[in-house]
Amino acid sequence: MYRIRSAALGLAAAALTGPAFAEGGNLVVFDWAGYEDPAFYQGYIDQHGGPPTFAFFADEEEAFQKLRSGFKADAAHPCSQSVPKWMEAGLLAPVDPSRIDRWDDLEASFREIEAYMKDGQHYFIPVDWGNTALTYNTELLTEDQVQSLQAFVDPSHAGRVSLPANVDDAYALAFLANGVKDWTRATEEDFQKASDFLRRAHQNVRAYWDSGSALAQLMQSGEVYLAWAWNETFATMTAEGHPIAMKRDTDEGSSSWVCGYSRLAEDTGASDDLFYDFVNAWLEPASVEYIVSAWGYGHSNTQAMAAMDQETVAAMGLDFNDTIRGNTLWQAPVPADLREKMIAEFELIKAGF
């Protein structure tokens, strides 16, 4: 798992000079580093003799700007809060649900969000989902010390904290810490309080992480013992025997997100058949089993998720009881003006302003 991720990061650094891999037809997928893992879409490889071509981005704003500047690919992997912005900018093309074999098996609350539709057409195929939650070293911190998200601004943790470089995850933490569960209704005052929280947290940050493997390295050494992290960190590090826990039931709660695949309007000319073959491979039960057991993420194929051993699902932190569900900030699309302010302000905060 970590070898795959580390290799992916090296490829990501080379993404600006050219895509990686060149087999399996001529489909080009613009993706997060690590998602070129063949186990996610083995059916596509079996059908076409190899993987598609991959190019990588570190965050969705980088991807957005690169696509706006003329970079061409056939499929991209945005997350929920970015899809409306990409649609409005004309970057996405509609998808045909009739060509998606397991469309009816997908979680309806992900699939039928109005923000992902225009003129009755769908522009987003939900695939992977997960949590962003307080994650800590159980040998260096007690559960009482991390019962509240205010731990991230506690001066006693200076230099031992890592936050995501991703604006959405960072502001999800900040809004939650100030009692906001629905950021689509956030006021200007809520935004200012959230930004103030991130500035205070910045004083404790050792490093902002941009990949699960980067955060794992920080936590393995013990130099970072408190992080706002995805399921991947908890799942992979505990599997390797590290004393890591993910606490979704803090006083203020945790966050959840969903990502998926979209067709790009300015594509490379690859056959639509290749796009749908790739997506259909991603939705197979084998892919569901793999993303849960190896990466610790959930899958939008609810039928396959329900067929899995539920103890495994719970062990990966993917079970939702009523208490956790009610104490979760869902990273739904926010108003465009708020998102632009979040992006601009977070860049200032990370730079120390």
Side-chain angles (χ1 to χ4, degrees), residues 200-223:
R200 292 164 59 203
H202 177 78
Q203 305 305 312
N204 288 346
V205 169
R206 176 83 172 199
Y208 289 92
W209 61 267
D210 58 9
S211 71
S213 58
L215 177 58
Q217 291 174 5
L218 290 168
M219 297 197 78
Q220 284 171 9
S221 67
E223 59 181 309

Side-chain angles (χ1 to χ4, degrees), residues 234 248 292 305 309-320:
F234 164 71
R248 292 180 295 160
V292 172
M305 286 284 290
D309 175 63
Q310 294 306 296
E311 288 187 4
T312 299
V313 173
M316 294 300 176
L318 299 173
D319 59 320
F320 271 93

